[in-house]
Amino acid sequence: KKRKTMMLRIKRVPTVVSNFQKEEGEKQVARGGCGRNCLNKCCIPGAKLPLYAFKRVNKLVNETPVPGHEIREPPVAFLDLLLGEWEDRMQRGLFRYDVTACETKVIPGEYGFIAQLNEGRHLKKRPTEFRVDKVLQPFDGSKFNFTKVGQEEVLFQFEPSEDEEAQFFPNAPIDVENSPSVVAINVSPIEYGHVLLIPQVLECFPQRIDRESFLLALYMAAEAANPYFRLGYNSLGAFATINHLHFQAYYLAMTFPVEKAPTKKITTLDGSVKISELLNYPVKSLVFEGGNTLEDLSNTVSDTCICLQNNNIPYNVLISDSGKRIFVFPQCYAEKQALGEVSAELLDTQVNPAVWEISGHMVLKRKKDYEEASEENAWRLLAEVSLSEERFREVTALIFEVIALGSAVNAPENVAEEMEATTQSDEEADAVGQGSRPSLVVGKQECLVLH
């Protein structure tokens, strides 16, 4: 069935290019400063933006409130605020195209891959401006970055509350010295409520995860408190298109295929973080969940991402289930492209499989591909994204070495042996969800670490 505009009640507006994200040199409306009303030092002094101050929830599992300190509802529901502000920007014509007009359907099959025809994103999305073979690259202020977006595109600042209670301030000053984190619209959206979380925007961090920024993303997922609002991250080399630290997020009231796939537990850390391996899915992944505190979970995942970054391994992250379940996908599609190992048929689709595609939300750019979308075609594309079995084992062992440095692991002494045992039992687990899964071999080509 086609899902044209599920849960969308947005008034149709003319499709225009955002006033503040045009290419350099185009005529701008004079607004003081540089004339772009941007987030840079030319326009930011004295500016004010809404502020959502979130409560730092780091609660223990099954924790009960202390009498007299029961959890109180925030004055405004975070997700309602975010989506309402996003709709406001839609009505004001700040998007490059009308994403609500894009056709969407669930592809028949066991997993229910979701296909969207989004021709506007292909035609109007900003091109990548950096090398795709290096995961860590220095920030370059001459390239497009989020200090150049217009203040009208910022929905609100997103900062921890000083009194540990969630609050909303419609008109708050910008603390330039402490560089606020902000939530802004994605002017080339792929779904309803598509926004960007930009940690400490004025610090101009390159696109690389650290412990503090990842914890902020988990706070946002927890604050939304809705399993259909998910956050994603793409590293450089894994189809991030802007080298300025940011996470993406949007609302889609469907279960992603990756969320349906079976998993097999590998180990549990001392902080009660459980690490599993994704089974019976075209892209190999580690799955993280649990933890005594939100910070325990966040630190384990961010350390995993830092390990991948430091070893120049491109990766994508999906933050699912209100921040309680996180998928980390090491990938090598861009490398295979560079080596000429991707078929012309797949290249012709012009689909760059980033976090949303890997999770099962296939954003297609050609009507032909949309009309011919099938589970087999989706599986064939994503199989090319995945590391080979051998390379995934090597990468996983590397990750466990790094994690073990900061946490005693309740796992077999030889992680490689445990991973091998997992591999041998995969055939049994595959029977759980075999169904109509296409019988395709996940890429045998070893993906080398790029140095």
Side-chain angles (χ1 to χ4, degrees):
K1 294 182 179 179
K2 291 186 178 181
R3 182 196 64 91
K4 284 196 174 182
T5 54
M6 175 176 287
M7 299 191 70
L8 302 181
R9 299 180 179 84
I10 300 173
K11 178 182 176 182
R12 294 291 184 268
V13 296
T15 299
V16 298
V17 176
S18 160
N19 292 327
F20 307 111
Q21 291 198 31
K22 292 182 179 179
E23 300 302 324
E24 299 291 344
E26 290 186 35
K27 184 178 179 180
Q28 304 295 332
V29 179
R31 291 175 175 268
C34 68
R36 298 171 69 92
N37 191 33
C38 68
L39 290 178
N40 221 326
K41 57 186 178 182
C42 53
C43 298
I44 209 75
K48 293 185 176 183
L49 289 170
L51 166 64
Y52 186 96
F54 62 88
K55 180 179 180 180
R56 275 187 272 222
V57 179
N58 202 24
K59 57 187 177 183
L60 301 175
V61 175
N62 299 322
E63 181 183 32
T64 54
V66 177
H69 294 80
E70 287 79 9
I71 296 174
R72 289 184 285 177
E73 291 295 321
V76 57
F78 175 80
L79 189 55
D80 289 346
L81 171 69
L82 183 148
L83 296 178
E85 291 297 309
W86 187 90
E87 290 187 3
D88 172 75
R89 302 316 190 273
M90 187 73 169
Q91 292 171 1
R92 287 156 64 177
L94 296 183
F95 293 91
R96 295 187 170 211
Y97 51 83
D98 182 2
V99 72
T100 69
C102 294
E103 288 186 276
T104 298
K105 64 183 177 182
V106 176
I107 301 173
E110 176 191 355
Y111 280 92
F113 285 93
I114 305 155
Q116 181 195 95
L117 177 61
N118 194 328
E119 296 168 298
R121 185 172 174 83
H122 168 51
L123 297 173
K124 299 179 181 178
K125 190 177 186 299
R126 185 179 302 280
T128 301
E129 296 182 305
F130 47 82
R131 295 174 58 177
V132 298
D133 62 343
K134 293 184 72 68
V135 174
L136 294 178
Q137 298 178 45
F139 179 86
D140 184 348
S142 69
K143 307 293 186 185
F144 176 80
N145 64 80
F146 297 117
T147 66
K148 297 182 180 183
V149 307
Q151 293 174 28
E152 291 187 15
E153 294 169 14
V154 176
L155 304 186
F156 44 78
Q157 303 173 71
F158 186 68
E159 293 291 323
S161 173
E162 293 182 358
D163 63 3
E164 296 305 316
E165 291 296 335
Q167 299 179 67
F168 178 66
F169 305 93
N171 198 30
I174 298 171
D175 186 351
V176 176
E177 294 299 319
N178 291 314
S179 186
S181 299
V182 299
V183 176
I185 60 172
N186 186 329
V187 295
S188 297
I190 66 171
E191 196 41 84
Y192 178 55
H194 194 170
V195 296
L196 305 170
L197 170 64
I198 310 164
Q200 294 181 267
V201 60
L202 304 180
E203 291 293 334
C204 296
F205 296 129
Q207 183 73 340
R208 55 109 181 97
I209 280 177
D210 58 69
R211 280 190 166 191
E212 185 177 356
S213 64
F214 195 79
L215 181 58
L216 184 73
L218 287 200
Y219 277 132
M220 183 172 172
E223 200 70 29
N226 188 306
Y228 296 129
F229 183 80
R230 306 166 179 90
L231 279 82
Y233 176 88
N234 302 315
S235 78
L236 301 187
F239 301 107
T241 56
I242 297 171
N243 187 21
H244 188 174
L245 180 59
H246 66 287
F247 296 82
Q248 300 184 49
Y250 61 73
Y251 179 87
L252 180 61
M254 294 181 181
T255 303
F256 280 175
V258 74
E259 295 168 334
K260 303 176 186 178
T263 59
K264 180 175 177 59
K265 176 184 167 182
I266 299 173
T267 189
T268 300
L269 306 183
D270 265 2
S272 295
V273 176
K274 183 174 79 170
I275 305 177
S276 303
E277 179 184 2
L278 196 63
L279 303 177
N280 197 23
Y281 197 74
V283 185
K284 297 185 183 304
S285 169
L286 291 177
V287 186
F288 301 80
E289 53 197 326
N292 291 328
T293 68
L294 191 69
E295 195 164 352
D296 285 335
L297 179 60
S298 179
N299 286 345
T300 301
V301 179
S302 56
D303 287 352
T304 296
C305 296
I306 292 167
C307 172
L308 294 172
Q309 291 166 177
N310 290 344
N311 286 278
N312 203 34
I313 302 169
Y315 67 95
N316 309 89
V317 181
L318 176 70
I319 299 174
S320 176
D321 195 17
S322 303
K324 301 184 188 74
R325 196 167 186 233
I326 302 161
F327 300 80
V328 177
F329 310 93
Q331 72 140 295
C332 60
Y333 191 81
E335 181 186 354
K336 285 185 175 181
Q337 279 183 310
L339 295 174
E341 295 170 358
V342 179
S343 71
E345 180 184 5
L346 291 179
L347 292 176
D348 285 347
T349 67
Q350 302 175 66
V351 173
N352 293 327
V355 60
W356 307 120
E357 288 80 9
I358 291 172
S359 301
H361 187 195
M362 314 300 294
V363 182
L364 304 174
K365 302 171 180 178
R366 301 189 305 179
K367 192 169 185 64
K368 172 181 179 290
D369 297 322
Y370 180 78
E371 292 173 344
E372 297 175 0
S374 67
E375 186 164 285
E376 183 176 1
N377 288 343
W379 200 281
R380 184 180 296 113
L381 170 66
L382 295 184
E384 292 297 323
V385 176
S386 182
L387 300 187
S388 67
E389 184 73 33
E390 179 183 2
R391 185 71 189 118
F392 183 71
R393 299 300 156 196
E394 293 173 0
V395 170
T396 301
L398 187 66
I399 289 169
F400 271 87
E401 287 179 17
V402 170
I403 292 176
L405 292 176
S407 178
V409 180
N410 298 324
E413 291 183 9
N414 191 330
V415 175
E417 289 181 6
E418 172 69 2
M419 292 299 294
E420 180 64 26
T422 299
T423 304
Q424 292 172 357
S425 65
D426 282 357
E427 291 182 5
E428 298 174 12
D430 280 350
V432 173
Q434 190 72 29
S436 60
R437 179 174 69 86
S439 180
L440 297 173
V441 178
V442 176
K444 292 288 187 182
Q445 174 68 37
E446 178 173 334
C447 297
L448 303 174
V449 178
L450 299 168
H451 292 293

